[in-house]
Each structure stands twice: as C-alpha cells, then as structure tokens.
Amino acid sequence: MAQNRRHFIQRTAAGLALLSASPMTFSRNLAEQSATYQSKPWIELSKEAYLHNAAQIGKMANGKPIVAVLKNNAYGVGEVPVAQFLDESPHVFGIAVVKDEAALAMREGGVKKPILLMGDFDDSFADELVNHNVTLSVHSRNALSKMNGISIDQKVKIALYLDTGLGRMGIPYQETFNIAQEIDKNPNLSIEQTFSTLTSPQDFAREQISRFEDIMDKLDQAGIASGLKHLAPSYSLLDLQNSHQQAVRPGILLHGSFPSSKMQMAEQYPLQVPYRLKAPVIRLEKLKAGDTIGFSRFYKVGQDEWIATLPVGWADGYDSGAENGALVLLGDQLFPVVNVNASHANIALGASTSIKIGDVATLIGPERPEITPEGFGKLINGHNYLQINYKESIPKHSYASF
Ligand SMILES: *Cc1c(COP(=O)(O)O)cnc(C)c1O
C-alpha cells in the first residue's frame, strides 16, 4: 500500500516537472511524450480552461470563495494536475478531497492552498497529514477521538462536518454543539472550517440551511469559532443563493459541466470543457456486409465498411453506453461509435476512408458540441457525472492551453 503511494507520488512528481516548463518547452516535451503514448488512450488537461471555469463559478457565487472538490481523482481526470492549476486561482480558497492519499499526493505535487480532507484517514497517516497542513474533518465521535489521540507538537486543523439531512457523513446536527464544546476544550485542536452538504430538493435544502444556521448561532453565542462555513455543491450553488454561506463547494462545474441537464446556464455563465479524452487508431479493417462486431454481435455491418479500433473501453472508464449513439472526432469528421468492450471501442468509418493507423480520435473534448461531456451525455441519454470516471491508469498530459 505504502509502496503504491510512493510510486504514485513519483509519477506525480514527473507530471509536475512537465507542468513547470515554459509553454514552448512544454509543447516540445508533449510532442516527445505523446510519441510514447501512441498505443494507449490519454487525457489532456487545460490549465487555462480550469482557471476560466473557477472565475465563472466565482461569478455564480457573487464573489464568494471556492472550496474546489477534487474527490475521486478529480472525477477521473487527474487530481494532482487539476489541484496544481487551481492553486493559482484567486477565486479558489482551498481544495477538498475524500481520500487521505489524495491530500498527501497534492502536497507532494507542490499544492499550497488549504486542503480539506472530507473523508476518514488511516491512523498511520495522521502525523503526515498534520505535518502537511491538511485540515481533518470531525465527521463522527470516532473521528474526534482519533484526533484527540494525535500527539504531535503542532496544532491540528480541523473542520466540523455536520449531517443536516443528507444522512451519509457527518455529526448528526443535534449533537454538533456538544461535540464542538468538547473540541473547544482541547487546545491542540483548532476549528478552521464548518460544513455540511445540501440535498437537491429546494424545500429540504432550505430546512438544512436553517438547521445549520441555528447551530452556527449557538456556537457564536458560546464564543466557539466555527471558521469558514460552506454548504453548497454545484446544484445548490446554482439553485439557492442563501446556500452560499461564506464559501461554495463545487465539483462538476469546475470540469465545465452543469450538475443536471435541466440547469443549463451556459449563456449566462459560459464554462469551458477543460479536458480531452484521446486514443489512437490501432487497427483498421474493411469488414464485409453481414459481419458483426463484439461478443454479443452487437453491431451488424450493413454494407462493406471500414471499422477502426481504439484502445479504450469501459474498463478505462469510457461509458459503455457510447455504443448507443456517441460520436468521436477523427480528422475533421465525426464518426459513430458502434461497439464498446472492456478495453476497446470500434468506430464505423464508412465505405471508403482516408483515416490511417495512428490517427488520433478525440472521444471527449471541446471541439464539437457532440463530443463535449454534455453533448456526449445527450447522445447516449447518460448521467452527467458518470461520463467522467476515467481510471487512474490513463496517462495525463497538461497543456498551458488548448
Ligand atoms: C461531491 C461533493 C461535492 C461536490 O459535488 P458536485 O455535485 O460535483 O458539485 C461537494 N461536497 C461534498 C461533501 C461532496 O461529496
């Protein structure tokens, strides 16, 4: 386990070296790098697009600072590079993650802003987390006893995590005041933030806000500092202005997607697609009318046609629903995805083609409305969030801009 983390951090450090190069060196490095990735899929990330999206979210929140949620490897696109980008944003107060290892990897990648660990931590990581200035969440009595047990000559920064009704994580709101009093008695613990998570239905979200605010008032009256207060994931940020509190806490909006298809506010707040998923053509064959593709013989070739194979499939996190209508960009044309297996996807190119082995397809990216995460979602009737769920094994290239 520890060895894995070492390995991961070493890879991250290599990524950082790439990032700190000047844009000129950068493209040369990238050209060299991409030569080594021609047989695998990869993800390209745009720092400028992430900074643009953070600035737009700042507008949505009327200037309130952002706690950027980069959990689950930043929804699959790469938590360390995205954290490095957002570390430069004046709109971002800090970063929130769920896994202890993610927080440490970001610190080793040079991220300076506050990092909030919303999830639990392994006891063996406790000292390292405190040494690296990671804010730990008191999400239960058990978590508090772990923090009381940290014997390190340094203040432990903590966040009070309240459950106001999501029912998943956090101290039940009715118990928060007592726990905060206990925390207040330990001079080693310092409450830096207090947060909870809102549900989507507006009526109940309002009830949650009032539960939260009642407790904040009680803490104020008792002279217990509660630090920076935040409640709102992307949905509530857009849906309920009084959810904004002192900071907002979006995830999906940073990646250029609105949290639900009913919430397209792209005209008011134009977001950019800040990443691309790409893969090279590794096989090209002209199949005959009547031939089929896939284990279930999912696609039947109607007339003789060229079929390209890309080395990316659902095991890499590419949505298998893509075979139900998604398109990919190859050259300057869009072609249909006709089959997705665990490690491969097939693209139908038609009766004649100028595409060659080694040509690179863009499966997701900003170039065409059909291949943006939202366009892709519409074509396959998919879930907004699950479209970006790429595996850590996919290499990441960072661009100064697209
Ligand atoms: C995932 C998550 C967020 C961000 O959610 P989005 O819908 O992606 O904006 C915020 N807060 C908590 C506690 C979360 O788990």
Side-chain angles (χ1 to χ4, degrees):
M1 205 47 201
Q3 219 172 9
N4 276 347
R5 195 167 80 76
R6 245 343 105 193
H7 179 65
F8 175 63
I9 285 163
Q10 273 162 12
R11 282 198 288 128
T12 310
L16 184 68
L18 244 182
L19 277 173
S20 53
S22 72
M24 284 289 289
T25 347
F26 203 47
S27 26
R28 207 184 58 236
N29 281 350
L30 275 171
E32 286 163 12
Q33 282 268 322
S34 56
T36 61
Y37 285 118
Q38 283 303 313
S39 66
K40 299 190 191 84
W42 69 89
I43 287 170
E44 295 174 353
L45 297 164
S46 163
K47 172 171 159 175
E48 271 153 33
Y50 274 102
L51 293 176
H52 166 91
N53 290 347
Q56 288 296 318
I57 296 167
K59 284 188 198 163
M60 297 173 195
N62 302 307
K64 296 276 172 71
I66 298 166
V67 176
V69 176
L70 301 182
K71 64 185 180 194
N72 306 336
N73 196 25
Y75 295 158
V77 302
E79 62 205 359
V80 173
V82 176
Q84 288 166 338
F85 300 155
L86 294 178
D87 210 30
E88 293 179 26
S89 170
H91 306 281
V92 172
F93 163 83
I95 288 158
V97 296
V98 173
K99 299 258 159 59
D100 45 15
E101 297 191 351
L104 293 172
M106 285 174 185
R107 281 287 182 249
E108 301 215 19
V111 172
K112 297 280 189 298
K113 286 193 195 277
I115 297 179
L116 167 64
L117 177 60
M118 302 192 292
D120 208 348
F121 60 90
D122 285 356
D123 285 330
S124 58
F125 283 158
D127 288 6
E128 207 176 342
L129 288 163
V130 176
N131 277 329
H132 283 92
N133 200 21
V134 174
T135 305
L136 306 175
S137 294
V138 178
H139 53 76
S140 63
R141 277 195 181 275
N142 184 49
L144 178 57
S145 49
K146 285 206 311 193
M147 282 163 214
N148 280 329
I150 297 176
S151 59
I152 188 167
D153 192 19
Q154 194 176 325
K155 260 204 190 301
V156 179
K157 292 184 176 172
I158 61 165
L160 275 177
Y161 189 169
L162 279 66
D163 179 7
T164 53
L166 188 68
R168 179 183 71 177
M169 272 289 269
I171 309 158
Y173 70 102
Q174 303 93 327
E175 295 169 29
T176 311
F177 184 72
N178 289 343
I179 290 191
Q181 280 182 315
E182 273 178 48
I183 293 171
D184 204 41
K185 288 188 198 121
N186 181 342
N188 277 341
L189 304 180
S190 154
I191 303 176
E192 303 283 316
Q193 302 183 35
T194 297
F195 70 106
S196 183
T197 307
L198 298 180
T199 57
S200 304
Q202 231 190 50
D203 284 357
F204 190 60
R206 285 184 204 282
E207 168 65 22
Q208 289 183 277
I209 294 170
S210 101
R211 290 172 180 176
F212 186 81
E213 289 178 345
D214 283 352
I215 289 161
M216 295 309 105
D217 287 348
K218 255 178 111 179
L219 292 178
D220 272 354
Q221 283 157 23
I224 299 173
S226 49
L228 187 79
K229 287 165 266 299
H230 43 93
L231 289 175
S234 299
Y235 191 97
S236 321
L237 193 170
L238 293 163
D239 195 47
L240 260 182
Q241 180 139 347
N242 68 339
S243 72
H244 295 178
Q245 302 289 312
Q246 295 175 338
V248 294
R249 209 178 56 239
I252 194 88
L253 283 169
L254 292 160
H255 303 290
S257 290
F258 287 87
S260 109
S261 52
K262 293 188 262 345
M263 277 190 153
Q264 306 296 339
M265 299 184 182
E267 275 179 25
Q268 215 177 334
Y269 305 109
L271 298 174
Q272 291 174 8
V273 177
Y275 64 95
R276 291 195 191 101
L277 174 65
K278 295 180 113 176
V281 173
I282 57 164
R283 177 186 191 254
L284 197 57
E285 289 297 334
K286 193 165 194 182
L287 299 195
K288 301 267 181 302
D291 286 349
T292 61
I293 306 175
F295 292 108
S296 61
R297 310 193 71 200
F298 178 76
Y299 182 72
K300 193 168 235 143
V301 176
Q303 52 162 34
D304 295 7
E305 69 178 333
W306 287 97
I307 301 291
T309 302
L310 306 177
V312 61
W314 53 257
D316 301 297
Y318 183 57
D319 193 323
S320 62
E323 64 191 16
N324 299 312
L327 299 168
V328 305
L329 185 65
L330 248 173
D332 58 1
Q333 254 185 290
L334 292 166
F335 295 99
V337 179
V338 295
N339 177 58
V340 179
N341 289 154
S343 314
H344 297 101
N346 292 104
I347 315 298
L349 302 177
S352 67
T353 188
S354 57
I355 300 295
K356 300 179 301 299
I357 297 265
D359 286 356
V360 174
T362 306
L363 297 97
I364 301 287
E367 279 75 15
R368 302 288 177 90
E370 294 87 346
I371 60 167
T372 64
E374 259 143 14
F376 177 88
K378 265 185 220 148
L379 287 175
I380 70 162
N381 274 327
H383 187 299
N384 250 18
Y385 286 73
L386 297 183
Q387 289 144 36
I388 46 173
N389 191 23
Y390 308 122
K391 295 295 151 66
E392 271 186 27
S393 56
I394 300 185
K396 317 292 185 303
H397 294 303
S398 302
Y399 274 69
S401 70
F402 276 157

